[in-house]
Amino acid sequence: MSLGYADRLKQKRNLGGQLGAQEYHQGFEDIKAGVQKLAKWVTEAERVFVFTGAGISTACGIPDFRGPNGIWTLRKKKAPLPTDFTPFEYAKPSFTHMAIAALVACGKVPYVCSQNVDSLHLWSGVPRERLAELHGNCFAERCAACRAEYARDFQMETVDFKPSGRLCTRPGCSGPLLDNILDWDTPLPQDELDEAVQQAEEADVALVLGTSLQIQPANEIPVLTRDEGGKMVIVNLQKTPKDRKANLIVRARCDVVMALLVQELGLQHECSGSSNGKAAAAAAAAAAGGAIGSADGAAGGSGGGGGEGRALSVTVRSRHGRGCPLPMVESVAIDVEATAEATGAPPPADVAAAADPTRGDGTADASTSSAGCGAAAAAAAAAATWRCSSGAMTGSKAGYSHTFSGLPGWARGVRCTLSVRLVQWADADKREVTLQHSIDLAAAGPCPSAAATGGVGAGAGAGETTPAAAPDGSADARASGGGDGGTCRTLVHVHTFVSQEVQYEPGAVVAAFLADPPPVVMPESRRKRQKADEAAAPVAPSRVSQRLSRTSRRAAQDAAAGSPKSPSPDDTNNDDAESEGQES
């Protein structure tokens, strides 16, 4: 798991269970045979209950807890912690996540129970009402009053249900929002625990993926399926305390098992992530739940009296509200153009989707820098056009802003072009994003004096979320006005753009495994291990064996001396006496 999340948990000496247990790997043919048996059971089942742990997210670059290189294991050894992990905010769902979402979508899996807090099940497309998050979610907060839950695209900074500082936006509520992450010794959420227990009891097959099943009471949930007459299948590299109750155990990484499973079930298309199938639905679901790579652009123009000296302020902030982080944004540059005609019409879709690499690195054209905007306005007055660039906008992960002074009084329309550069974890072909805002100043109403130089986005207070736009980059624009003094036009454009796409083919997952399979290492069966232990243990010699041994040694000595002889009764009696004396 993310070191940030692990560091926020309180320190605890006894973490329970075994740390760093050996991992085992089956050969491909054994894995395939196990998956074929699993596919038969899934096909015959009406309800499959899926129970997941940290092992399904290691393929996403997120370290686990109890594996040989898990966080708790390394800390116990006082070994260096990993530095090459993927932070939660930038992790993509694994193939296993997408396969589970496909099984949910086709109705075979009515419910998923997870011990993970990384939100990857939600980002893969599993509906929240079909998911139990027993340990919480680092990307969710819940209202303390009405219990409404809010999905975010940034991590909470606390654990154990502490206030985030944001407020519930449900009508008539405004209750404080709390993080939704359990700490050590915090009781599991009773509503989700009860639902998971019922779903496990009603299932025909319990599919356990990527968990060592060491922590109670969660580890008892999938066993309920077996207790009620169903089958339990465990896919995990380490042994678990529940192995004896499993009908089938597959020692392999979850991705290759799930890739083989969807091939057997004929679900390749549903979980492949192709643009005309599951990927589009997953991207839309992720956007609705606080998407990776979503951002708001708030642009406002304000002035006093309509003459020279009017100002234009542009703010870029999270669609979750003021002060919320923009984890996928690395930098923002802006270019504005004012004309004597209204430009309130939305920009063409192909222009809004185009990338502008000249602004991607945050550099500005010196001839149109912010310092020269006043001169640019004067020179362009005759042509009734004015253009100015700020270069990189100032700000941080909590938002970016810039104010342009000297907006010409004759301007009736403004078009803002934002060049957004995303962080290194974004897909290489999506790191440069261009967004456009059009502001019709001719339709401006009275401007409140408090907003004369601010021009921030309207209507998004603490904790407020604006509706997610479609993944194609369409924007929602709203205007605000009122008060006295001057004229003002404030528009809020909501952009949602895809910064990471999940594109998996089960055949490619299997091919990657076959190209570099791990060495086959399997635990011995109990019977073989018991026989090996008995053979290795030293056995105390009996009197007979001691007597024969001494007789053989003497015969060998006599033969070497040239006088071989058979043992006499006296020799035997002496041997017995010596042996008895040694035993006494």
Side-chain angles (χ1 to χ4, degrees):
M1 291 299 184
S2 166
L3 297 184
Y5 159 68
D7 288 337
R8 288 193 289 272
L9 298 174
K10 65 185 178 184
Q11 298 299 312
K12 186 175 181 180
R13 183 180 297 270
N14 182 14
L15 301 176
Q18 183 182 7
L19 301 178
Q22 183 178 354
E23 294 183 344
Y24 299 97
H25 296 268
Q26 286 180 295
F28 180 72
E29 292 303 322
D30 289 335
I31 296 172
K32 191 172 182 180
V35 171
Q36 289 173 344
K37 183 180 294 186
L38 170 61
K40 180 177 182 296
W41 292 345
V42 170
T43 301
E44 296 172 349
E46 292 185 7
R47 303 170 67 89
V48 177
F49 175 76
V50 174
F51 187 85
T52 66
I56 71 168
S57 296
T58 54
C60 310
I62 299 175
D64 59 20
F65 284 119
R66 300 174 184 277
N69 294 308
I71 294 176
W72 303 147
T73 304
L74 295 177
R75 283 184 172 173
K76 184 177 181 180
K77 295 179 179 179
K78 297 183 179 179
L81 296 178
T83 58
D84 58 346
F85 65 93
T86 302
F88 276 2
E89 294 94 332
Y90 312 127
K92 294 183 181 182
S94 67
F95 183 90
T96 298
H97 288 101
M98 300 302 295
I100 293 171
L103 289 169
V104 172
C106 73
K108 183 61 71 172
V109 174
Y111 205 71
V112 178
C113 181
S114 179
Q115 302 169 99
N116 299 339
V117 297
D118 52 28
S119 199
L120 291 175
H121 278 304
L122 289 177
W123 290 346
S124 69
V126 176
R128 181 65 180 93
E129 64 273 13
R130 295 194 178 187
L131 175 66
E133 295 179 312
L134 295 184
H135 297 165
N137 187 328
C138 282
F139 296 88
E141 46 192 342
R142 184 173 288 183
C143 177
C146 70
R147 307 302 292 166
E149 190 169 291
Y150 294 80
R152 308 300 193 191
D153 57 5
F154 55 89
Q155 280 199 70
M156 300 299 107
E157 297 179 354
T158 59
V159 299
D160 205 19
F161 312 113
K162 295 181 176 61
S164 67
R166 289 174 286 274
L167 303 178
C168 180
T169 57
R170 279 196 170 182
C173 183
S174 299
L177 298 184
L178 315 176
D179 72 68
N180 195 31
I181 314 167
L182 277 64
D183 203 344
W184 292 109
D185 304 322
T186 305
L188 299 181
Q190 195 61 48
D191 54 345
E192 297 187 55
L193 180 60
D194 292 343
E195 182 66 22
V197 167
Q198 180 178 344
Q199 293 285 343
E201 291 176 338
E202 296 176 352
D204 304 299
V205 176
L207 178 55
V208 180
L209 299 170
T211 171
S212 59
L213 292 174
Q214 296 194 59
I215 303 302
Q216 294 181 333
N219 65 346
E220 300 292 340
I221 297 175
V223 180
L224 296 174
T225 302
R226 174 66 186 266
D227 293 343
E228 294 296 322
K231 294 180 172 61
M232 182 171 71
V233 179
I234 297 177
V235 180
N236 199 57
L237 297 179
Q238 295 175 311
K239 297 180 182 178
T240 84
K242 306 302 181 184
D243 284 358
R244 294 183 184 180
K245 293 198 172 185
N247 299 89
L248 174 66
I249 300 174
V250 183
R251 303 290 184 198
R253 300 198 179 278
C254 295
D255 275 8
V256 68
V257 171
M258 296 305 288
L260 290 170
L261 178 63
V262 300
Q263 286 181 331
E264 291 288 335
L265 299 177
L267 294 176
Q268 293 95 320
H269 180 72
E270 285 81 353
C271 66
S272 65
S274 58
S275 59
N276 61 345
K278 190 66 183 177
I292 300 176
S294 65
D296 287 4
S302 61
E308 298 295 337
R310 302 171 72 192
L312 171 71
S313 294
V314 179
T315 301
V316 178
R317 58 173 171 78
S318 168
R319 66 188 179 91
H320 296 285
R322 295 187 182 96
C324 294
L326 287 163
M328 292 300 293
V329 176
E330 181 178 287
S331 64
V332 182
I334 186 169
D335 179 274
V336 299
E337 180 180 3
T339 66
E341 297 179 357
T343 59
D350 56 343
V351 175
D356 185 359
T358 63
R359 296 281 179 252
D361 58 2
T363 59
D365 184 348
S367 64
T368 57
S369 65
S370 182
C373 287
T385 184
W386 177 85
R387 183 174 181 177
C388 187
S389 298
S390 76
M393 296 179 69
T394 58
S396 64
K397 293 297 182 184
Y400 300 81
S401 62
H402 193 84
T403 299
F404 297 90
S405 58
L407 186 67
W410 46 259
R412 293 296 178 268
V414 176
R415 176 165 294 173
C416 303
T417 301
L418 297 171
S419 299
V420 183
R421 183 172 178 81
L422 305 183
V423 295
Q424 62 178 333
W425 286 277
D427 294 342
D429 61 338
K430 299 176 180 61
R431 289 199 66 190
E432 311 290 345
V433 180
T434 298
L435 309 175
Q436 288 193 339
H437 307 294
S438 295
I439 304 172
D440 182 7
L441 299 179
C447 181
S449 58
T453 59
V456 296
E464 181 173 349
T465 61
T466 50
D472 61 0
S474 59
D476 172 35
R478 294 176 296 164
S480 69
D484 53 9
T487 58
C488 175
R489 177 66 170 172
T490 301
L491 294 179
V492 176
H493 300 254
V494 180
H495 297 275
T496 299
F497 46 87
V498 176
S499 57
Q500 293 179 323
E501 283 186 324
V502 180
Q503 294 184 346
Y504 296 122
E505 291 290 342
V509 175
V510 175
F513 174 86
L514 293 175
D516 187 23
V520 176
V521 180
M522 286 296 294
E524 293 180 342
S525 65
R526 281 187 67 197
R527 183 172 299 177
K528 287 183 178 180
R529 187 169 62 251
Q530 185 176 1
K531 288 183 177 180
D533 292 343
E534 291 174 353
V539 179
S542 64
R543 293 178 183 177
V544 175
S545 64
Q546 289 187 36
R547 182 171 65 248
L548 292 176
S549 177
R550 286 190 175 88
T551 301
S552 299
R553 286 202 306 270
R554 287 176 182 174
Q557 291 172 357
D558 292 340
S563 56
K565 66 174 184 177
S566 299
S568 65
D570 292 338
D571 292 332
T572 304
N573 292 337
N574 290 339
D575 288 346
D576 286 339
E578 289 178 4
S579 64
E580 289 174 358
Q582 289 175 356
E583 291 179 355
S584 62

